[in-house]
Amino acid sequence: MMTYSEMEREINEIPKFGAKASLSNLSDYLELANHPERNLRVIHIAGTNGKGSVSAYIDSILRQAGYTTALFTSPHLVKINERFRINFKECSDEELILAWCQVKSFMEKGEKQGLQPLTFFEILFLMGMIIFSQKEIDYCILETGLGGRLDATVLSDPVLSIITSISYDHMEILGDTIEKIAAEKAGIIKNGIPVVAVDEENGAFPVIERTAKEKKSPVYGLKSQDLTILKKYENKIDFSINSRYYKISNLKVKSYASYQVQNAALAAIAAHVLLPDLAENVIRNGILEMFWAGRMEEIAENVYVDGAHNPGAVRQIYNSLADSDKEWLLLFAVCSDKDYTEMIRILGKIPWKRIYITKIDSARGADTATVRQCFEEAAGCPICEFESAGEAFKAALRDRGDEKEENLLCLGSLYLVGEIKELAATMF
């Protein structure tokens, strides 16, 4: 059998961007695989920001209730295994290698039948369905890769759909207005299947409601005014939910980021819609025990990483830090195809003590000189550039000194989060 490194190299050689995906083509491959997705009770999650966190909150709540869960998410930060979890435990190298070998055999058969090769994400989706269908799974939580209407995961049959916060991202694919993006995300809604969604005042929710009405699907909206933050203290936030559909108090998220309150609340309402008799303490404990890497994650004392990579996500970071009484340093890297000008405009409102700019280890990384110029126009603090994330990280840690009183936030891309986490694992 091949090694993990061989499998990883073969999968990574498949283009992640630019390949033409086709649902009918993928459907033919699922037929070759005897439709593993049909053996699963799916909770399907789409949205611009918060998909991973909401997936993890739902997963944690269901596990607290005694259910066996499967979780399929993207992207991974360090290892491909992170995308495939059973009861939140990453699938083994051996399981992934076996699934990849099966997918390769299907691709060989498909090629002989005139099918197009599968894309990177379609391959991982099919691998996940093969692995999960061979286990005794109560609920399978599927996070879309991009959009919803044409995403590989839409070929599943969900028992519940969830749509998280929607903002501008991937506009070249999904559309240049919030309404167009929302229509793509709402493409996951299936006939008669309930949908739980964030009801924000940006034009997205009416599109979701309209789609749900066309599909005769009950829709449950979560408004910001349904949430009350009761207390915010070091890496924890107490809050309550008072919505039309569900009321519960004394909830707690383990996070510095206030955006996790909305994500946790969305998961709580979704769990209640799915399982109306679920005990409140199960929901409370599920939310409290949730962990999701790369989302305001503290990887060392006062050192945080967050994968926010579009203006909507960065705005949530601003909301989380605006009232902080700590001094913050920023380490920033971003992909060139993101709206980093707007991201930096928002970040410039935060009184950073120092900013460290670097480039992610990817061809998509934005030019550091251009990024620096944007920060110089937006922020009023010392700014320095570094060739690599490692150099920038070590410089920031040195500047903090031995007292470690200043908080360091590494932000701008999930690629950066992966690099920093891998580096930190060798340092702390």
Side-chain angles (χ1 to χ4, degrees):
M1 182 178 285
M2 71 171 59
T3 65
Y4 178 87
S5 295
E6 289 169 336
M7 176 204 71
E8 187 177 42
R9 187 187 69 249
E10 289 182 3
I11 292 176
N12 284 335
E13 284 174 355
I14 298 157
K16 292 183 176 64
F17 301 94
K20 183 72 173 174
S22 163
L23 290 180
S24 61
N25 189 64
L26 176 57
S27 184
D28 288 337
Y29 278 106
L30 289 168
E31 178 71 28
L32 285 175
N34 201 24
H35 286 288
E37 80 285 0
R38 292 179 181 171
N39 298 330
L40 300 165
R41 299 167 76 194
V42 167
I43 298 169
H44 200 186
I45 302 181
T48 307
N49 297 311
K51 295 190 298 294
S53 294
V54 173
S55 297
Y57 277 120
I58 284 278
D59 181 271
S60 183
I61 291 168
L62 291 174
R63 284 186 286 112
Q64 284 287 327
Y67 293 104
T68 300
T69 62
L71 182 61
F72 176 75
T73 59
S74 62
H76 61 274
L77 301 178
V78 180
K79 283 190 75 178
I80 292 175
N81 310 53
E82 298 167 29
R83 298 172 181 250
F84 312 89
R85 298 174 187 260
I86 294 172
N87 275 346
F88 208 68
K89 182 182 178 182
E90 293 175 13
C91 291
S92 67
D93 293 353
E94 292 73 23
E95 286 173 309
L96 264 62
I97 291 166
L98 185 58
W100 169 231
C101 289
Q102 289 178 271
V103 170
K104 281 207 298 184
S105 71
F106 294 135
M107 289 177 74
E108 288 169 5
K109 290 179 184 176
E111 187 178 359
K112 291 175 183 175
Q113 295 178 17
L115 298 181
Q116 294 298 309
L118 292 171
T119 66
F120 178 85
F121 185 76
E122 289 171 339
I123 285 168
L124 296 179
F125 169 67
L126 184 51
M127 286 172 60
M129 296 304 93
I130 290 170
I131 293 169
F132 298 155
S133 68
Q134 294 169 353
K135 311 285 185 179
E136 293 293 325
I137 302 293
D138 294 313
Y139 290 101
C140 175
I141 300 151
L142 293 184
E143 178 191 334
T144 59
L146 178 63
R149 182 176 62 91
L150 299 176
D151 191 77
T153 57
V154 83
L155 292 178
S156 63
D157 294 315
V159 294
L160 179 69
S161 302
I162 303 172
I163 301 177
T164 67
S165 177
I166 291 175
S167 63
Y168 291 104
D169 203 3
H170 301 291
M171 291 182 288
E172 71 285 359
I173 298 171
L174 302 180
D176 57 1
T177 68
I178 288 293
E179 289 78 11
K180 288 178 183 177
I181 296 170
E184 292 295 321
K185 308 290 186 183
I188 70 167
I189 300 173
K190 298 288 180 68
N191 289 330
I193 303 302
V195 56
V196 180
V198 174
D199 181 358
E200 49 201 337
E201 295 178 359
N202 64 354
F205 192 68
V207 177
I208 295 167
E209 275 190 311
R210 187 162 60 247
T211 306
K213 186 176 180 180
E214 290 168 0
K215 299 289 181 72
K216 296 182 171 56
S217 299
V219 61
Y220 303 84
L222 173 68
K223 298 175 180 286
S224 59
Q225 52 263 43
D226 296 336
L227 304 174
T228 302
I229 292 180
L230 304 170
K231 185 179 180 184
K232 187 173 181 180
Y233 42 105
E234 192 66 29
N235 292 339
K236 289 189 183 72
I237 304 172
D238 294 345
F239 71 103
S240 64
I241 304 170
N242 184 19
S243 76
R244 290 169 52 199
Y245 318 107
Y246 189 50
K247 295 175 174 59
I248 183 171
S249 58
N250 300 322
L251 295 162
K252 187 191 301 289
V253 293
K254 283 182 183 174
S255 179
Y256 198 102
S258 52
Y259 63 73
Q260 290 295 31
V261 168
Q262 182 186 78
N263 292 330
L266 196 64
I269 292 175
H272 177 69
V273 170
L274 182 68
L275 300 163
D277 296 327
L278 204 58
E280 287 189 353
N281 273 344
V282 168
I283 290 178
R284 288 193 186 96
N285 291 336
I287 288 172
L288 182 62
E289 295 302 318
M290 187 283 264
F291 168 77
W292 194 234
R295 279 69 177 180
M296 214 61 186
E297 177 189 359
E298 189 173 19
I299 58 172
E301 185 181 354
N302 293 336
V303 177
Y304 297 84
V305 292
D306 194 288
H309 56 274
N310 56 56
V314 165
R315 196 167 288 110
Q316 296 293 348
I317 293 290
Y318 170 78
N319 292 339
S320 297
L321 300 188
D323 58 353
S324 174
D325 57 359
K326 299 269 187 140
E327 289 190 321
W328 286 85
L329 312 177
L330 174 66
L331 194 163
F332 185 85
V334 67
C335 288
S336 58
D337 57 351
K338 299 298 179 183
D339 185 5
Y340 59 81
T341 304
E342 178 62 10
M343 291 167 64
I344 292 169
R345 188 191 68 79
I346 297 165
L347 289 171
K349 298 177 182 178
I350 297 171
W352 306 102
K353 189 170 182 183
R354 286 183 298 280
I355 295 174
Y356 306 79
I357 295 165
T358 188
K359 189 172 183 178
I360 56 175
D361 186 19
S362 166
R364 296 171 64 210
D367 176 65
T368 53
T370 307
V371 170
R372 178 174 186 156
Q373 185 177 354
C374 292
F375 267 113
E376 286 174 343
E377 294 171 2
C381 67
I383 301 168
C384 42
E385 283 177 61
F386 294 87
E387 285 293 317
S388 71
E391 290 178 44
F393 189 53
K394 289 171 185 174
L397 294 179
R398 281 196 306 271
D399 290 349
R400 290 171 76 220
D402 295 332
E403 297 302 318
K404 302 182 178 66
E405 291 181 356
E406 297 165 336
N407 285 8
L408 170 62
L409 175 58
C410 306
L411 180 74
S413 169
L414 284 165
Y415 292 110
L416 175 67
V417 170
E419 284 188 60
I420 295 296
K421 281 177 66 70
E422 204 163 10
L423 182 62
T426 68
M427 297 175 61
F428 301 118

